[in-house]
């Protein structure tokens, strides 16, 4: 039986889709059969971030309505074996994700895949609730910024109250904090909440710290999960987070500002 | 604290202001969440019990639910003024 992971945050723009793409790619790279699903009905974007927008024929709603089979809608990634993308629909009807339909799709996917990564829409409406309902694990994507932390706290409350596991009184959804767009330099200056601050406020175990990095935009520009960029610090950080998720011990990186040697400081700046 | 800091007090770093504000607002919001909506009722019943023995005002009992590590902490604060008189029915026999 596959494990369902929801990538959620409450707040928009914190990096849910980037994280879903990187995480699913990371799991597949390690040999796990993985599918990543876009739950943002009406605002499809995972296809762009994954670079398969021109290969979308059928979507989630088509499958739920019986207009296409699951296998017709699943897009096989061209770069990574074991990775599939399940695009959402561009319909304006946000309530098109019907409960029974989604239940059936998730059951089928659990039988076929090891990991099912659900990219949640922002907010706490139908789409977001549907995305988190089936979760066995949740990755709470949070920026070190007050509105993001508050919204994450809200989503944690909703996971504890409205998930299938909560409803059926099973063991609770496994929760992980992923701190994104982190800038150790700004934390040092006292301008940004630190990892410790956010951990303390949300009391969640930390899965990883993704440093603020221009390579994230570069990756989405070209439709490549950032984890595939060997030169990207954010990509390395996602790789660590995936390893920790499946039980490996990895030391936290990007907690402190990078030490620059004097020479690199002078010449590096002139060069860049 | 150096003499310099004494004459030119620095403003607290904005991150620590953010942390403090978050802790206050979240403590409040968490208490309104499912499962903890019993707090107002608990406060009322506690007040009823306490006033049986000591005369206290409604706002002298504060009930809150917080978090410490992995555990939830139910904090009950009852302020008893020095001048509070025992409620007559329960006053100790002379």
């Amino acid at each position: 039986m596959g494990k369902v992971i929801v990538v959620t945050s409450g707040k928009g723009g914190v990096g849910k889709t980037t994280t879903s793409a990187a995480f699913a790619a990371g799991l597949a790279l390690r040999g796990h059969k993985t599918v990543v699903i876009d739950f943002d009905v009406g605002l499809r974007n995972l296809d762009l971030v994954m670079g398969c927008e021109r290969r979308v024929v059928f979507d989630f709603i088509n499958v739920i309505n019986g207009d296409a089979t699951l296998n017709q809608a699943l897009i096989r990634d061209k770069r990574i074996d074991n990775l599939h993308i399940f695009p959402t629909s561009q319909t304006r009807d946000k309530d098109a994700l019907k409960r029974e339909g989604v239940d059936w799709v998730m059951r089928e996917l659990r039988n076929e895949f090891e990991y099912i990564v659900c990219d949640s829409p922002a907010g706490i409406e139908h789409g977001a609730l549907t995305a988190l309902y089936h979760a066995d694990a949740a990755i709470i994507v949070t920026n070190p910024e007050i509105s993001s932390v508050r919204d994450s706290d809200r989503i944690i409350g909703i996971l504890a109250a409205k998930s299938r596991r909560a409803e059926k009184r099973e063991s609770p959804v496994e929760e992980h904090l992923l701190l994104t767009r982190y800038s150790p330099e700004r934390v040092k200056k006292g301008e940004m909440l630190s990892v410790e601050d956010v951990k303390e406020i949300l009391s969640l175990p930390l899965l990883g710290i993704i440093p603020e990095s221009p390579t994230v935009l570069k990756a989405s520009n070209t439709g490549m999960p950032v984890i595939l960029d060997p030169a990207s610090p954010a990509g390395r950080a996602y790789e660590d987070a995936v390893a920790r998720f499946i039980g490996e011990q990895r030391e936290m990186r990007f907690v402190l500002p990078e030490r620059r040697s004097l020479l690199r400081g002078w010449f590096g700046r002139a060069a860049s | 604290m150096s003499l310099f800091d004494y004459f030119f007090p620095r403003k607290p770093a904005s991150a620590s202001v953010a942390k403090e504000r978050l802790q206050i607002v979240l403590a409040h919001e968490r208490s309104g969440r499912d499962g903890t909506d019993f707090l107002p009722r608990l406060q009322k019943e506690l007040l009823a019990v306490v006033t049986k023995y000591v005369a206290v005002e409604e706002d002298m009992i504060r009930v809150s639910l917080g978090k410490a590590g992995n555990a939830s902490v139910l904090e009950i604060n009852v302020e008893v003024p020095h001048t509070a008189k025992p409620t007559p029915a329960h006053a100790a026999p002379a």
Side-chain angles (χ1 to χ4, degrees):
Chain A
M1 274 294 262
K3 185 170 184 173
V4 178
I5 307 166
V6 64
V7 178
T8 185
S9 69
K11 191 177 182 303
V14 296
K16 282 183 296 298
T17 304
T18 302
T19 299
S20 302
F23 223 79
L27 288 166
L29 281 170
R30 291 175 150 262
H32 301 289
K33 200 171 176 203
T34 305
V35 61
V36 55
I37 316 178
D38 192 346
F39 270 88
D40 204 347
V41 175
L43 296 169
R44 180 202 290 165
N45 274 320
L46 181 70
D47 56 340
L48 273 177
V49 174
M50 292 296 299
C52 63
E53 69 278 9
R54 292 169 60 174
R55 297 168 61 207
V56 177
V57 183
F58 296 111
D59 58 48
F60 207 154
I61 308 296
N62 293 143
V63 174
I64 285 183
N65 292 341
D67 302 330
T69 66
L70 198 50
N71 281 325
Q72 283 175 311
L74 288 175
I75 302 172
R76 180 189 287 273
D77 191 274
K78 285 190 168 159
R79 298 153 297 204
I80 309 167
D81 286 341
N82 300 317
L83 181 59
H84 289 75
I85 299 115
F86 191 14
T88 193
S89 133
Q90 281 289 47
T91 161
R92 288 166 68 188
D93 180 9
K94 283 225 162 204
D95 295 325
L97 286 178
K98 289 186 213 81
R99 176 72 177 268
E100 301 75 37
V102 178
D103 287 356
W104 177 81
V105 167
M106 296 308 277
R107 253 198 321 275
E108 293 289 306
L109 292 176
R110 270 181 200 269
N111 287 330
E112 189 132 345
F113 292 90
E114 272 177 85
Y115 290 105
I116 299 116
V117 179
C118 304
D119 182 20
S120 170
I124 48 174
E125 307 296 319
H126 182 72
L129 298 182
T130 310
L132 68 78
Y133 182 76
H134 291 272
D136 300 309
I139 297 176
I140 321 284
V141 183
T142 308
N143 288 170
E145 180 266 324
I146 46 171
S147 43
S148 174
V149 175
R150 184 195 212 173
D151 291 358
S152 292
D153 191 73
R154 192 76 204 283
I155 277 289
I156 294 165
I158 292 173
L159 270 165
K162 303 226 162 135
S163 61
R164 184 184 55 89
R165 282 175 171 271
E167 239 177 55
K168 304 228 154 82
R169 297 185 183 280
E170 290 175 15
S171 57
V173 178
E174 178 192 308
E175 296 166 334
H176 303 273
L177 171 65
L178 188 76
L179 202 56
T180 55
R181 310 200 68 167
Y182 195 68
S183 167
E185 291 80 15
R186 302 197 69 186
V187 171
K188 199 177 167 202
K189 286 189 207 151
E191 297 175 355
M192 186 181 262
L193 289 167
S194 70
V195 185
E196 293 307 318
D197 291 341
V198 181
K199 260 170 71 179
E200 185 191 328
I201 295 168
L202 295 177
S203 22
L204 282 187
L206 181 67
L207 185 63
I209 304 165
I210 313 298
E212 171 82 66
S213 165
T215 56
V216 173
L217 182 59
K218 222 156 103 187
S220 81
N221 282 345
T222 52
M224 177 184 80
V226 70
I227 203 165
L228 289 179
D229 177 358
S232 163
R236 301 292 65 74
Y238 273 118
E239 213 172 60
D240 285 354
V242 172
R244 286 185 203 109
F245 185 84
I246 55 180
E248 257 177 51
Q249 296 285 331
R250 294 249 176 133
E251 211 180 314
M252 282 293 164
R253 291 194 264 180
F254 313 106
V255 183
L256 299 170
E258 211 180 314
R259 293 253 293 290
R260 280 189 149 203
S261 74
L262 255 155
L263 274 176
R264 239 191 100 192
W266 289 339
F267 292 104
R269 213 167 300 160
S272 65
Chain B
M1 199 162 100
S2 73
L3 206 59
F4 184 83
D5 288 342
Y6 182 79
F7 288 110
F8 302 97
R10 268 177 282 180
K11 271 197 229 158
S14 63
S16 53
V17 178
K19 185 180 179 186
E20 212 183 299
R21 291 175 61 213
L22 267 170
Q23 277 169 329
I24 294 167
V25 74
L26 290 184
H28 181 76
E29 286 176 359
R30 282 169 186 159
S31 70
R33 234 182 241 165
D34 294 7
T36 57
D37 53 356
F38 60 83
L39 288 180
R41 266 183 302 136
L42 177 63
Q43 180 168 1
K44 241 185 199 155
E45 283 176 38
L46 279 171
L47 181 75
V49 174
V50 175
T51 45
K52 261 168 111 177
Y53 299 90
V54 207
V56 293
E57 297 290 322
E58 193 173 345
D59 60 350
M60 288 171 174
I61 296 187
R62 278 183 301 272
V63 183
S64 65
L65 200 63
K67 257 184 165 183
N70 286 329
S72 295
V73 177
L74 178 65
E75 204 176 293
I76 299 171
N77 244 302
V78 185
E79 197 181 312
V80 181
H82 276 307
T83 54
K85 295 218 169 69
T87 311
H90 290 86

